[in-house]
Amino acid sequence: MKFKRMGAGPGKSEVPEGGGKSRRSWVWDNQCKLELVVGSPASCMELELYGADDKFYSKLDQEDALLGSYPVDDGCRIHVIDHSGARLGEYEDVSQVEKYKISQEAYDQRQDSVRSFLKRSKLGRYNEEERAQQEAETTQRLTEEKAQASAIPMGSRCEVRAPGQLPRRGTVMYVGLTDFKPGYWIGIRYDEPLGKHDGSVNGKRYFECQAKYGAFVKPSLVTVGDFPEEDYGLDEM
């Protein structure tokens, strides 16, 4: 079914071209096709026929009538009035949609839930052996990071060597734990604007520097030494 063009406003659709073949189609058939165009259920549509000059001709209110029984011609417009009660954009804001809620106690009693399956299968956090191993690995990693971080003095010159990136030089401005991610982190003030922030993350300030000069990296990526400043010319870009 070919349409000549779509109307600019909502609820508008051009009468399909095709001469006698389209005129021999039933009004109900066209309603079903228009459902794919305008989104309104065919059973909730009220159709109005307008001429090429946008003059109202008549209502297409006989579903079992042929389209050709109305004064239809090329360029005419079918206006669709939606009586389904749907409002534009009503399903876009999911906060307005009523949601099913269940208490933690009631959810624990269900035998067909994901939580119940994990418990029976001893998977994820319900696998005590796996949890103990993960906790041991986390403790070991923190111990190693703490030892590496303790060997990086505040205010020292350094070079950051991250995989897949060119070495970056800067000054150590922070050593220790942070609120934004677990583990030990090294705050760097780069010599050039190669960072991500100004020394603050999520509203908490850890050190002072210019915007885009600050970054946090893991201790394993930091090498302390005699690294004089290099001018990459980025300030002039």
Side-chain angles (χ1 to χ4, degrees), residues 4 54 59 65 70 74 87 104 106 111 116 121 124-125 133 136 147 154 163 169 182-183 192 200 203 224-225 229 237:
K4 185 177 180 182
D54 216 29
K59 291 184 179 290
Y70 293 91
D74 288 343
R87 299 186 304 277
Q104 291 293 332
Q111 299 301 312
S116 178
S121 304
R125 60 193 179 102
Q133 182 179 350
M154 286 278 294
R169 294 186 178 183
E192 298 289 337
S200 62
V224 175
E229 288 191 31
M237 294 179 64

Side-chain angles (χ1 to χ4, degrees), residues 40-41 44 81-88 90-91:
S40 174
C44 299
I81 302 175
D82 181 11
H83 292 291
S84 66
R87 299 186 304 277
L88 184 64
E90 68 174 316
Y91 298 115

Side-chain angles (χ1 to χ4, degrees), residues 43-133:
S43 60
C44 299
M45 289 183 186
E46 180 183 342
L47 304 184
E48 295 179 340
L49 179 63
Y50 289 80
D53 56 357
D54 216 29
K55 179 181 178 181
F56 174 74
Y57 281 179
S58 66
K59 291 184 179 290
L60 306 181
D61 51 6
Q62 299 296 323
E63 296 177 350
D64 56 350
L66 292 174
L67 192 61
S69 64
Y70 293 91
V72 174
D73 203 352
D74 288 343
C76 286
R77 172 171 63 85
I78 294 178
H79 182 80
V80 179
I81 302 175
D82 181 11
H83 292 291
S84 66
R87 299 186 304 277
L88 184 64
E90 68 174 316
Y91 298 115
E92 296 178 1
D93 185 2
V94 296
S95 65
Q96 302 299 318
V97 179
E98 185 176 355
K99 302 174 182 63
Y100 174 74
K101 297 181 180 180
I102 184 172
S103 66
Q104 291 293 332
E105 294 75 13
Y107 187 68
D108 283 333
Q109 298 300 318
R110 298 192 60 159
Q111 299 301 312
D112 57 348
S113 65
V114 174
R115 183 180 300 173
S116 178
F117 171 77
L118 293 176
K119 286 181 178 179
R120 291 195 304 269
S121 304
K122 295 184 178 180
L123 297 175
R125 60 193 179 102
Y126 300 104
N127 186 329
E128 295 182 2
E129 183 178 343
E130 183 178 341
R131 285 187 61 188
Q133 182 179 350

Side-chain angles (χ1 to χ4, degrees), residues 100-209:
Y100 174 74
K101 297 181 180 180
I102 184 172
S103 66
Q104 291 293 332
E105 294 75 13
Y107 187 68
D108 283 333
Q109 298 300 318
R110 298 192 60 159
Q111 299 301 312
D112 57 348
S113 65
V114 174
R115 183 180 300 173
S116 178
F117 171 77
L118 293 176
K119 286 181 178 179
R120 291 195 304 269
S121 304
K122 295 184 178 180
L123 297 175
R125 60 193 179 102
Y126 300 104
N127 186 329
E128 295 182 2
E129 183 178 343
E130 183 178 341
R131 285 187 61 188
Q133 182 179 350
Q134 291 176 348
E135 291 175 359
E137 291 174 353
T138 300
T139 301
Q140 177 65 22
R141 183 169 60 253
L142 284 175
T143 301
E144 293 174 356
E145 286 185 355
K146 183 177 181 180
Q148 293 171 342
S150 63
I152 301 176
M154 286 278 294
S156 59
R157 292 289 299 169
C158 68
E159 189 171 74
V160 177
R161 300 169 184 173
Q165 298 180 5
L166 294 174
R168 303 179 180 186
R169 294 186 178 183
T171 303
V172 176
M173 302 295 293
Y174 181 87
V175 178
L177 301 172
T178 65
D179 291 341
F180 57 85
K181 278 188 178 180
Y184 286 82
W185 293 85
I186 309 300
I188 306 295
R189 182 187 65 204
Y190 286 127
D191 297 336
E192 298 289 337
L194 301 170
K196 297 181 178 180
H197 48 73
D198 62 352
S200 62
V201 179
N202 296 335
K204 180 175 180 178
R205 179 160 299 282
Y206 294 90
F207 60 91
E208 297 282 348
C209 71

